[in-house]
Amino acid sequence: MKDRKDISSKYKWKVEKIYENNKLWEKDYEKLDKESLKIKEYKGKLNSAENIIKFLNLRENILRLNEKLYVYANLKSDEDTRNGEYQLVLQKISGKTAEISGYLSYFVPEILELSEEEYSNILKDKRLNDYEFFLQDIRKMKSHILSKEKEEMLASMSDLLEAPSNIFGMLSHADLKFPKIKDENGEEVEISESSYSKYIKSKDRRVREEAFNAIFGTYRNFKNTYATTLTSSVKNFVFNAKSRNYKSSLAASLEPNNIPLEVYENAVKTINENLDSLHRYVKIKKRLLNLEEIHMYDLYTPVVDLPKIHISFEEGVNIAEKALNPLGVEYNKIFNKGINNGWIDVYENKGKRSGAYSSGCYDTSPYVLLNYNEDINSISTLAHEMGHSIHTYYSVLTQPYIYSDYTLFCAEVASTTNENLLIKYLIENEKDDKRRLYLINQELESIRTTVFRQIMFAEFELFTHKSIENNIPLNSESLSEFYFNLNKKYFGEDIIMDEEIAMEWARIPHFYRDFYVYQYATGYSAAYSFSKMILNKEEGALEKYFKFLKSGSSDYPINILKAAGVDMTKEKPIKDTIDRFNELMDMLEK
């Protein structure tokens, strides 16, 4: 692996566009430090249009500067995580961010303290026109916002409430030691959370089984600790929901973004009504893998083994551009602008953060971290992350700062639309039967893991939260029993349900974020709907999609998607995705 200095500058993001050096960063940090103190001057004074306007302008300037400083520090830190200087810089701005959040904590309670008459009179000032949706969104939460004193108390408890998640993270990623197994060559290798995904896909069934048993056997050894951390986390969510006068923790999670509860419930219901499609996939996979019996550890194995084909970054860009052609000339120009203008950090280097992400803020260009590995998956990651970045680009270009971000419910839609366009392009243009089979299986696996699997997780979440809300105690046995039976229901009778799978709940970090996982399934389904409409050249489809990209958070996510032609309150988006799943299986069987 190369040192960062040995990688060509054309493959590195241009972070110097934000700050040329650390001295300039420090200068802006000092400015932020001084300016942020001015927030305190408005405490107790947000009872006139004049003061609210001045406060909101100050708030925007401070938050924009804070985000710019944070983005730079985070990107520089991730270039080489061994560099202590940038770790300290990141810690510095992270601490300041938390401090500023505390300074601003009086804003929402004071807006809510206004009487309807005072609030109506304040809104008559035309200078607040752009802020009307923002302020109305705050006002609608009135019954769920507490007094200043109670809000400050809850804010001061944030570290305590995050403790279960932090303990889970330290136990799973720092303290947990997994046993060694023998790889395909008979050599001893140590299993880890990061290497598990490699071994569970191995063509050698012995390796898959050993990896599976090693991971879940280790989690079983700590089952009571994991049960305690998870149930404590759920209790915190339930406590927060009750404190804020919500009917349930699900309502507390969905209502702030105006997402109807039936969106969650319909997603679970629709998947449950179509589990025969997943059962069929298990049967097909068993046949294609030529297995007498299929186990849980066989699910991630590719149905065809292909020799690795090296695809240079330039070739990958060319493939992605062709796949995204249906989005039009303008979209491809922006995509190309990102490639050539230093948005992307392409290759792995010593100390570089693993994985991939899209970053940036209102006053910077988008930035994309890749660890490009010269394969099909790397092209998919490029298309995915550029989907995020171009979504951000359009949102920033079109919306004022206050609405320039987008909610989590919409966050994965643009990125997954790009992925869908890419995989469909690859399947349709692949001439080699084996490679086409591989690609078809790739899309099937995406739907299996992103839609079926995440809704299975969503069902498990609903079970844990409802149990705690109804004072039903949970322990490792009851959690494992429910999770085991959930797997039986989802994967059907044709698979051997290995008892080790009952412990899988213990290794899912997303269970420590309340009702997060269902949004992978809804996001994927919305993205599939968009890609389908665009590829079918439905009237107005492209214009509606660009309207979605430009909407930011100027409305509630359900309304933004509905205006663009995708109604997530109906079962159609998920049903269309399942229809595609069935279509792919038909292709596989041919």
Side-chain angles (χ1 to χ4, degrees), residues 302-353:
V303 294
V304 59
D305 196 18
L306 289 178
K308 181 164 181 177
I309 297 174
H310 290 275
I311 306 166
S312 71
F313 180 65
E314 287 73 15
E315 288 175 299
V317 167
N318 187 41
I319 292 168
E321 284 179 334
K322 286 178 180 175
L324 300 177
N325 268 337
L327 294 175
V329 175
E330 182 183 277
Y331 192 94
N332 259 307
K333 277 185 179 176
I334 297 166
F335 185 91
N336 211 260
K337 178 181 177 181
I339 301 295
N340 296 318
N341 284 29
W343 289 12
I344 306 178
D345 206 73
V346 179
Y347 290 114
E348 191 174 10
N349 59 252
K350 288 179 183 176
K352 184 177 174 181
R353 183 191 188 275

Side-chain angles (χ1 to χ4, degrees), residues 151-170:
E151 285 293 339
E152 286 174 8
M153 181 189 72
L154 281 180
S156 70
M157 290 170 61
S158 61
D159 279 352
L160 291 173
L161 297 175
E162 285 293 318
S165 177
N166 294 334
I167 294 166
F168 166 85
M170 293 304 293

Side-chain angles (χ1 to χ4, degrees), residues 102-117:
Y103 292 166
L104 291 166
S105 64
Y106 67 83
F107 168 58
V108 170
E110 287 198 23
I111 292 298
L112 292 175
E113 283 172 4
L114 297 168
S115 68
E116 284 303 318
E117 185 181 355

Side-chain angles (χ1 to χ4, degrees), residues 2-9 11-12 347-349:
K2 290 183 179 180
D3 285 315
R4 186 163 183 83
K5 62 182 174 57
D6 297 324
I7 291 175
S8 170
S9 61
Y11 297 121
K12 296 177 186 176
Y347 290 114
E348 191 174 10
N349 59 252

Side-chain angles (χ1 to χ4, degrees), residues 438-452:
Y438 173 83
L439 292 166
I440 291 167
N441 188 67
Q442 285 284 91
E443 188 175 356
L444 279 164
E445 278 296 288
S446 290
I447 297 172
R448 179 182 78 79
T449 56
T450 314
V451 180
F452 286 100

